[in-house]
Amino acid sequence: MTAKEIFQTIKDKEVKFVDLRFTDTRGKEQHVSVPVKSFGPEKFESGHYFDGSSIAGWKGIQASDMLLLPDPTSSFIDPFLDHTTLAITCDTIEPSDMKGYDRDPRSIAKRAEAYLKSTGLGDTAFFGPEPEFFIFDAVEWSVDMSGSYCKIFSEEAAWNTGETYANGNKGHRPSVKGGYFPVPPVDSLQNIRSAICTALEQMGVVVEVHHHEVATAGQNEIGTKFAPLVQRGDWMMRLKYAVHNVAHKYGKTATFMPKPIVGDNGSGMHVHQSIWKGEQNLFAGEGYAGLSEFAIYYIGGVIKHAKALNAITNPGTNSYKRLVPGFEAPINLAYSARNRSAAVRVPLVNSPKARRIEVRFPDPTCNPYLAFTAMMMAGLDGVQNKIHPGDPVDKNLYDLAPEEAKDIPHPCASLDEALSHLDKDRGFLTKGGVLSDDMIDAYIALKEEEVTRFRMTTHPVEFDMYYSL
């Protein structure tokens, strides 16, 4: 839509409120609502003021005024609200120069798209994420001076075969690693996923597939269509919003946490990606698995910078509880055609236009604008510097002999390790002013707060290991 069409939609749909939305550094969407009588054409020119000091990792209180500038192309009618509301994704603007704020993730993604064009290497970076998530019946946790605990409640969970329910225990549920993917009633979430997909279509996001995932206790995946970097970031935020709200309306709770349960698969977000120039897919060629030299070098950049990327694509302390052997997690920094045990996979496709790579180590707690930007910048660095990733590995990487396995690098094992790599290996991100050193420093500082809180909190498993020593 154009700004003019926005006001026509407001009239036609009898919209009562306009909801201005933006995404913070951690990747959580924020919003402020404006009654339609207070929403005029000037909002698209001068923006809407808000207090940036209240957003974690952003401004100090001494210079807190910031602007939200609505992007009319990103609007949709919110399907979850009682009063007709038009939601619009915004860029966060620095009032002093009316440019995108240095730490605004969406503005960073826009700078990344502009940088790609400026290099002459390509015009468009396409991304297609596959976020996994859990839907539980309920969840509890407590962390205070007296102790800590967490508890997941899920009638679908394999551990509840002996549980007594008011209407009887029906017994149909996926076993551990058995969720991929029997029909209902073993898959108890078909209707909820269909409702999420319906909401996504209403919000302008094209759905391609949905299904139960491997883990017990309600792991799911919804696949949506690929799109250019910024738009795909917008769609990812809409997907999270739809998942959380549909689950809530069904009386359940959804989480994109990578490893909420112990002993079963965690939730990843495999990210398909390719670079195009005009109508040409630059990843299609005559090389390995139908890839071009451009694509091979792009893979080389992703693998070279993978440990720095981890700080952005795997941004929580919980992320590294997923990146362990035995649960289909991509713990080997190698590439392969179709082999799901590699960190970078080349999917089997029927057309050169569909040729792409799939980076498998990210998880869905990442900020999509930052994660897609960082992966593209790493890949482009590989192309610019002709970084070859070495030979592909087509064997099952989990079953390699020790002498073979020792030569294959691994992702980081913790968030603090990843932050250290990001600090040292940041040059590929600052090219073209896409990310600034100030933004990277602020991101590291924000995440180090999480590391410190995690490090200093006594964990229940420590009682199990050390209490009687």
Side-chain angles (χ1 to χ4, degrees):
M1 289 191 191
T2 63
K4 183 178 179 180
E5 290 170 330
I6 289 288
F7 291 103
Q8 188 62 48
T9 298
I10 289 173
K11 181 180 178 181
D12 293 345
K13 301 290 186 180
E14 298 182 353
V15 170
K16 299 295 188 292
F17 296 92
V18 177
D19 203 44
L20 304 177
R21 301 186 178 180
F22 66 100
T23 300
D24 67 15
T25 301
R26 287 195 176 103
K28 186 62 179 175
E29 198 168 32
Q30 311 286 338
H31 76 136
V32 58
S33 295
V34 179
V36 290
K37 67 178 183 294
S38 300
F39 188 84
E42 72 281 354
K43 294 292 185 185
F44 291 102
E45 300 164 5
S46 304
H48 179 89
Y49 276 98
F50 76 104
D51 178 7
S53 68
S54 297
I55 306 301
W58 282 19
K59 286 202 166 190
I61 199 169
Q62 74 281 1
S64 60
D65 286 340
M66 304 195 75
L67 289 170
L68 294 177
L69 194 65
D71 180 348
T73 66
S74 69
S75 64
F76 61 93
I77 299 293
D78 192 309
F80 300 108
L81 303 180
D82 293 337
H83 302 278
T84 307
T85 301
L86 183 73
I88 307 181
T89 303
C90 300
D91 297 318
T92 303
I93 303 300
E94 173 58 63
S96 62
D97 59 14
M98 292 302 291
K99 293 180 180 179
Y101 177 45
D102 184 61
R103 300 184 190 179
D104 171 37
R106 194 171 192 265
S107 296
I108 289 170
K110 282 191 166 183
R111 291 198 291 272
E113 288 188 324
Y115 172 73
L116 171 62
K117 292 177 181 177
S118 76
T119 65
L121 293 172
D123 300 324
T124 309
F126 285 110
F127 288 85
E130 297 178 331
E132 297 167 337
F133 56 93
F134 282 88
I135 296 177
F136 300 133
D137 297 339
V139 63
E140 295 177 1
W141 72 84
S142 176
V143 182
D144 61 29
M145 293 177 70
S146 69
S148 61
Y149 81 96
C150 58
K151 182 73 174 177
I152 290 165
F153 301 87
S154 170
E155 192 168 340
E156 190 190 275
W159 60 78
N160 281 329
T161 54
E163 189 72 20
T164 300
Y165 293 101
N167 296 319
N169 191 325
K170 302 302 186 286
H172 297 292
R173 51 178 57 87
S175 61
V176 174
K177 296 192 179 186
Y180 191 90
F181 32 41
V183 298
V186 175
D187 175 5
S188 67
L189 298 164
Q190 173 78 18
N191 289 332
I192 296 182
R193 289 197 308 273
S194 294
I196 294 168
C197 293
T198 299
L200 283 170
E201 292 281 354
Q202 292 172 350
M203 296 161 72
V205 181
V206 181
V207 177
E208 295 185 326
V209 66
H210 76 78
H211 56 84
H212 203 287
E213 259 298 343
V214 172
T216 190
Q219 191 183 34
N220 304 273
E221 181 179 306
I222 293 176
T224 51
K225 189 175 176 62
F226 68 90
L229 195 159
V230 173
Q231 184 182 38
R232 193 52 264 198
D234 293 345
W235 284 7
M236 183 64 197
M237 298 312 299
R238 291 185 207 178
L239 185 146
K240 283 190 166 186
Y241 182 71
V243 167
H244 282 136
N245 278 278
V246 171
H248 191 72
K249 282 186 175 291
Y250 273 79
K252 295 183 182 290
T253 179
T255 181
F256 290 88
M257 192 173 173
K259 195 76 170 182
I261 61 175
V262 179
D264 209 340
N265 285 29
S267 292
M269 187 178 78
H270 308 151
V271 182
H272 297 253
Q273 50 202 277
S274 61
I275 305 291
W276 286 60
K277 191 167 189 177
E279 297 299 313
Q280 181 187 5
N281 180 1
L282 299 179
F283 277 26
E286 303 299 325
Y288 173 77
L291 293 177
S292 65
E293 185 178 61
F294 184 107
I296 294 294
Y297 288 145
Y298 188 101
I299 292 171
V302 169
I303 290 177
K304 176 184 176 181
H305 298 297
K307 293 194 174 189
L309 288 175
N310 282 155
I312 297 171
T313 60
N314 307 85
T317 59
N318 185 255
S319 298
Y320 300 87
K321 290 177 167 59
R322 167 182 165 253
L323 295 177
V324 295
F327 298 96
E328 298 188 28
I331 59 166
N332 296 284
L333 296 178
Y335 71 104
S336 176
R338 293 176 285 174
N339 189 341
R340 284 175 163 79
S341 61
V344 179
R345 186 175 77 95
V346 186
L348 178 65
V349 297
N350 295 321
S351 165
K353 285 187 174 294
R355 190 72 62 205
R356 61 192 186 273
I357 67 166
E358 176 192 18
V359 181
R360 295 175 61 83
F361 53 78
D363 69 59
T365 52
C366 70
N367 183 317
Y369 301 107
L370 299 180
F372 300 160
T373 292
M375 284 185 280
M376 186 196 78
M377 296 297 286
L380 293 181
D381 185 65
V383 174
Q384 291 165 327
N385 292 291
K386 294 181 167 47
I387 301 170
H388 200 284
D391 294 331
V393 180
D394 290 326
K395 298 178 181 179
N396 185 336
L397 290 165
Y398 301 134
D399 294 334
L400 289 181
E403 60 272 16
E404 293 179 282
K406 67 179 176 60
D407 295 325
I408 298 176
H410 302 287
C412 291
S414 65
L415 179 57
D416 47 340
E417 180 189 349
L419 293 172
S420 177
H421 279 279
L422 175 61
D423 192 22
K424 297 171 186 173
D425 179 22
R426 60 171 69 189
F428 71 99
L429 294 170
T430 58
K431 286 183 178 180
V434 174
L435 276 86
S436 66
D437 282 313
D438 178 72
M439 165 58 186
I440 294 171
D441 289 342
Y443 181 88
I444 291 172
L446 186 67
K447 288 295 169 179
E448 283 180 340
E449 291 177 10
E450 298 174 19
V451 170
T452 299
R453 184 180 177 195
F454 179 76
R455 184 182 290 142
M456 66 185 287
T457 302
T458 302
H459 192 286
V461 77
E462 292 175 306
F463 280 84
D464 195 43
M465 293 190 292
Y466 307 126
Y467 191 82
S468 291
L469 292 181

